[in-house]
Amino acid sequence: MFFLIYTLLLLLGGIAMVAVGVAVKEQGTGSRILNVVVGLAFFGYGFYLLFLFDGDSYRIFFYVFVLPILLIVRAVKARKEAREQAAAQQFAGAPQRPGMYPAAGHGQPGPGFPPAPGQPAPYGAAPQGQPAPYGAPQGQPAQYGAPPQGWQPGQPGGPNA
């Protein structure tokens, strides 16, 4: 009885590995060749034992129980990773609608993006086309929230005025 189960497992495992090696294109060429070669070896040995063998002793390879499962799981993981990678590339390459800014929240453009025409500048940013406020060095962005250079406590127009 064990002999029959063993040979059937050899045959079925071999067929499964050959099918996975041929069908799953997402795995590497080496993995596909390994699946097909090992699958053919399993199937060949199972065929030999079931139909041609007439002796008293035969070898039992415990790989028959483990190796097909490992190779099939490896192929399924490769296929899943390839699909996830393709979905990520498709998502990253998706065109954005005109007028929309990435990472925008509550109608405000994301960092590094100018406001849309007709919209006020976000809090803390200098309006476009306006000079920097008094005390800000020319050619550098204003430091909002900090008092102007030269300001002393007690002077009018301070940060909390």
Side-chain angles (χ1 to χ4, degrees), residues 39-129:
L40 288 174
F42 276 31
F43 184 80
Y45 188 57
F47 184 83
Y48 168 75
L49 287 178
L50 191 59
F51 297 110
L52 304 174
F53 181 72
D54 58 355
D56 290 337
S57 64
Y58 58 94
R59 289 190 172 248
I60 297 176
F61 296 103
F62 290 102
Y63 295 118
V64 171
F65 306 108
V66 178
L67 192 61
I69 295 169
L70 291 177
L71 291 178
I72 290 170
V73 166
R74 186 172 155 189
V76 169
K77 282 185 180 180
R79 182 176 221 171
K80 180 182 176 188
E81 288 174 5
R83 285 185 179 178
E84 288 175 353
Q85 203 171 37
Q89 287 176 354
Q90 181 182 8
F91 178 73
Q96 296 180 3
R97 295 184 300 184
M100 297 298 292
Y101 299 98
H106 303 288
Q108 296 295 325
F113 290 94
Q119 287 189 350
Y123 178 77
Q128 284 189 334

Side-chain angles (χ1 to χ4, degrees), residues 8-24 27 35-36 38-40 42-43 67-69 71-73 75:
L8 289 177
L9 283 175
L10 277 168
L11 292 170
L12 293 175
I15 291 170
M17 285 191 290
V18 169
V20 166
V22 171
V24 181
Q27 58 183 338
N35 274 346
V36 171
V38 172
L40 288 174
F42 276 31
F43 184 80
L67 192 61
I69 295 169
L71 291 178
I72 290 170
V73 166

